[in-house]
Amino acid sequence: MEKWSLMAMAVLLALTVRWAVSLGSYSGAGKPPMYGDYEAQRHWQEITYNLPIRQWYFNTSDNNLLYWGLDYPPLTAYHSFVCAYIAKLINPDWVALHTSRGHESQPHKLFMRTTVFVADLLVYIPAVILYCFSLKETSAKKKASTCALCILLYPGLILIDHGHFQYPLSLGLALWAVLCLSHDWDLLGSMAFCLALNYKQMELYHSLPFFCYLLGKCFKKGLKGKGLVLLAKLAGTVLVSFAACWLPFGTDVEQIMQVLRRLFPIDRGLFEACMFSSPTHCPDKVANIWCSLSVLIKIKNVISPRTQLKLSFAVTFLSLLPACIKLTVQPSLRGFKFALVSCALSFFLFSFQVHEKSILLVSVPVCLIINEIPFMATWFLLVSTFSLLPLLLKDELLLPYAVTTPAFLAVCLASFSILEKTSAEDLQLKAFSLSLKGYVSWFKSFPRIVRSLFLLSLSLMGVLSVLGAAVPPPPRLPDLFPLAVAVVSCLHFLLFLVYFNVVMLWDSKNRGQKKIS
């Protein structure tokens, strides 16, 4: 009973923080003509409720795709329709075709915020709770409520979902998929991940670890026996799941092709304007390699969009290849979780058309290993939240950012004593340090060096946060601070990518894993 009481308190605290953040501003509030992501979600409700399915993804007189046209898979559209149906019962004006555009009111804000709370309570939070209770290690099991509290208080997700405005459904479904695989419910896990992928195409960031882990499991069981049966079942589950999601669009090939064009608009180029812009417009800066390199090389002016696509694909593929090979050859749940992190981070850093919010696709898997490497996980989660700062400032979410981020750090310090977990063994680098042979003595001062770098990193992020919020940029460089945030974050992420790959590739123990047979 005690562990459930502690868990209930953790959830209550997490919900309180979410409620407090939701009281503030949201994306595009009072900023016509396009407003922001809040209006995008409302507009999708308007479109899905009033128009037939065959028009949802097509440009028509009633559906101007230049005004927040649907660009997510069918499950997002179905979810919008369900929300719209409820909104229509409360106030038809909220989803009236054409006339509801840009609608803003306190009752509607309450309704929209409530839909996010419901999604959190039904999908994301239960997955976090059950995952923390399912941890195999004895020490981690004692800390189930503590682990859940740290995950649920991760500020990046709270600020984007309940501040900026976004639904946590794809990440929640992906968590359910991980939970199912940890219990050897491979078919349910595959179905849950297919649902996540059919809610947001960005779940492709996680697709290769799921594929490689399950394929490796089939290889271990033998492709002439149980492994072949499992492979057939998995293939059938994937086909049925996709068929069910796409059934309303399956009667017309052109419908399917139009949806795919909306999901993958490759003609936009490598990234959304990540270069110094005019003083009157500050485009979003993404903390990936392409945006950071644009300071030195104007890639969009040198390389055609098609070549940009090929370049990003090649670099992304090469960066995630080692982790995928290791996971396929030696499938383990621990390796699977680290592969989710490293592969998602490779996608974020090197892939095509990355949005700053996509860092959450890396952060949630990092949350899953916070009990194993609390110091590095906490550090990464702080940097990922910092990388969202320009977006948060644009949405007037500085105060929630300034409160939730130090609070999260304080909780992690109190829960895991992270500053005491900086040895090579704590960071799971013992095997790597031993492989260096003649350089092993250098690791004696490793904990002190790591702590110093962590404190330096925190100081730098703190200074840039204050400067970005309080100091006007030079007139000739209006995007100086957002770009500085992006570059500093990108450098952190590159180092984290190396670290996570080293941990995974040098790990041969697969501690706490059930043997796959």
Side-chain angles (χ1 to χ4, degrees):
M1 285 297 293
E2 182 182 358
K3 67 178 183 179
W4 283 105
S5 299
L6 291 173
M7 184 64 77
M9 292 174 62
V11 172
L12 183 60
L13 178 58
L15 289 175
T16 302
V17 173
R18 282 161 166 74
W19 171 77
V21 170
S22 71
L23 295 176
S25 182
Y26 52 81
S27 173
K31 297 176 182 177
M34 293 300 291
Y35 300 93
D37 281 6
Y38 175 95
E39 167 62 11
Q41 297 285 351
R42 189 217 58 79
H43 181 64
W44 295 343
Q45 294 174 21
E46 170 195 345
I47 293 302
T48 54
Y49 187 85
N50 291 288
L51 300 181
I53 290 180
R54 65 179 179 274
Q55 294 185 26
W56 287 358
Y57 291 91
F58 280 89
N59 193 57
T60 67
S61 57
D62 290 327
N63 184 21
N64 180 8
L65 293 183
L66 295 178
Y67 184 81
W68 299 118
L70 260 171
D71 53 5
Y72 285 121
L75 276 189
T76 290
Y78 304 151
H79 176 231
S80 296
F81 176 80
V82 172
C83 292
Y85 184 84
I86 299 171
K88 180 80 172 181
L89 295 176
I90 300 173
N91 188 339
D93 292 341
W94 292 348
V95 290
L97 190 62
H98 301 310
T99 59
S100 63
R101 178 174 292 193
H103 180 90
E104 292 181 311
S105 66
Q106 281 302 317
H108 185 254
K109 178 184 175 182
L110 177 61
F111 167 75
M112 294 289 280
R113 293 297 198 192
T114 301
T115 60
V116 178
F117 263 89
V118 171
D120 236 348
L121 284 169
L122 293 181
V123 180
Y124 183 76
I125 291 177
V128 171
I129 294 172
L130 293 177
Y131 172 80
C132 292
F133 276 134
S134 72
L135 294 172
K136 298 296 186 295
E137 297 89 345
T138 303
S139 60
K141 211 163 189 176
K142 291 178 181 177
K143 293 182 177 180
S145 58
T146 301
C147 186
L149 179 62
C150 291
I151 295 175
L152 292 175
L153 287 183
Y154 166 54
L157 194 63
I158 295 175
L159 293 169
I160 292 299
D161 287 353
H162 298 272
H164 174 83
F165 198 89
Q166 180 175 277
Y167 291 100
L169 288 175
S170 63
L171 292 171
L173 289 167
L175 272 183
W176 277 104
V178 173
L179 185 63
C180 288
L181 294 191
S182 69
H183 288 87
D184 287 329
W185 301 336
D186 297 331
L187 301 185
L188 282 176
S190 298
M191 183 180 70
F193 183 70
C194 286
L195 294 177
L197 187 55
N198 278 287
Y199 190 88
K200 278 193 177 179
Q201 65 270 35
M202 282 80 78
E203 279 298 326
L204 285 169
Y205 283 35
H206 301 146
S207 58
L208 282 175
F210 274 92
F211 175 78
C212 293
Y213 173 70
L214 292 171
L215 182 63
K217 201 169 183 180
C218 293
F219 286 152
K220 288 291 184 181
K221 290 177 179 290
L223 285 182
K224 292 184 179 180
K226 294 181 179 179
L228 182 60
V229 174
L230 177 59
L231 185 61
K233 289 181 178 178
L234 290 170
T237 300
V238 171
L239 289 173
V240 170
S241 299
F242 269 81
C245 292
W246 287 74
L247 186 61
F249 302 92
T251 56
D252 185 357
V253 175
E254 181 55 28
Q255 280 275 345
I256 296 176
M257 294 307 298
Q258 175 63 10
V259 176
L260 292 176
R261 282 192 289 267
R262 292 296 299 163
L263 300 187
F264 305 104
I266 62 173
D267 291 333
R268 290 181 185 174
L270 188 58
F271 47 78
E272 306 283 342
C274 288
M275 291 173 279
F276 289 129
S277 62
S278 68
T280 59
H281 177 62
C282 178
D284 297 334
K285 300 294 181 290
V286 184
N288 72 351
I289 193 70
W290 309 119
C291 184
S292 299
L293 283 177
S294 70
V295 179
L296 304 174
I297 306 171
K298 305 305 181 186
I299 300 175
K300 296 180 73 172
N301 298 337
V302 177
I303 305 175
S304 67
R306 296 285 174 174
T307 305
Q308 294 169 24
L309 176 62
K310 294 175 183 177
L311 175 64
S312 65
F313 175 82
V315 177
T316 304
F317 178 76
L318 290 174
S319 67
L320 53 78
L321 190 59
C324 290
I325 292 175
K326 175 69 182 290
L327 185 60
T328 305
V329 175
Q330 296 179 2
S332 68
L333 283 172
R334 183 171 180 275
F336 169 62
K337 289 187 285 187
F338 274 88
L340 284 173
V341 175
S342 62
C343 289
L345 189 50
S346 291
F347 269 102
F348 179 82
L349 284 170
F350 306 116
S351 65
F352 198 74
Q353 288 182 17
V354 174
H355 193 281
E356 64 263 54
K357 292 184 295 184
S358 298
I359 193 60
L360 299 180
L361 292 158
V362 190
S363 300
V364 170
V366 170
C367 287
L368 300 183
I369 56 176
I370 195 170
N371 63 297
E372 297 187 48
I373 46 169
F375 177 82
M376 294 301 284
T378 300
W379 192 355
F380 179 91
L381 294 173
L382 289 171
V383 176
S384 68
T385 303
F386 168 73
S387 73
L388 296 167
L389 180 61
L391 178 64
L392 300 175
L393 290 176
K394 189 165 63 174
D395 292 339
E396 300 178 7
L397 293 170
L398 175 62
L399 180 59
Y401 166 80
V403 173
T404 57
T405 305
F408 172 74
L409 175 59
V411 170
C412 291
L413 285 168
S415 302
F416 294 108
S417 303
I418 59 172
L419 292 179
E420 300 173 12
K421 304 285 182 65
T422 57
S423 68
E425 187 171 1
D426 288 325
L427 300 182
Q428 301 187 11
L429 293 173
K430 192 68 178 289
F432 175 68
S433 66
L434 293 175
S435 70
L436 294 180
K437 296 181 181 179
Y439 300 95
V440 173
S441 59
W442 178 81
F443 273 78
K444 291 180 180 179
S445 57
F446 185 72
R448 180 171 53 83
I449 295 173
V450 170
R451 282 195 296 269
S452 298
L453 289 174
F454 174 69
L455 295 176
L456 178 63
S457 172
L458 289 185
S459 301
L460 181 58
M461 290 189 289
V463 169
L464 284 177
S465 295
V466 172
L467 291 177
V471 179
R476 294 183 61 185
L477 300 173
D479 299 335
L480 177 63
F481 293 135
L483 193 59
V485 170
V487 172
V488 168
S489 301
C490 179
L491 292 174
H492 278 83
F493 292 148
L494 286 170
L495 294 175
F496 279 118
L497 179 64
V498 173
Y499 166 75
F500 287 122
N501 274 285
V502 166
V503 171
M504 182 179 179
L505 296 177
W506 264 263
D507 175 45
S508 58
K509 297 180 180 180
N510 295 328
R511 287 167 286 184
Q513 303 301 315
K514 292 183 287 187
K515 185 178 179 181
I516 297 174
S517 59

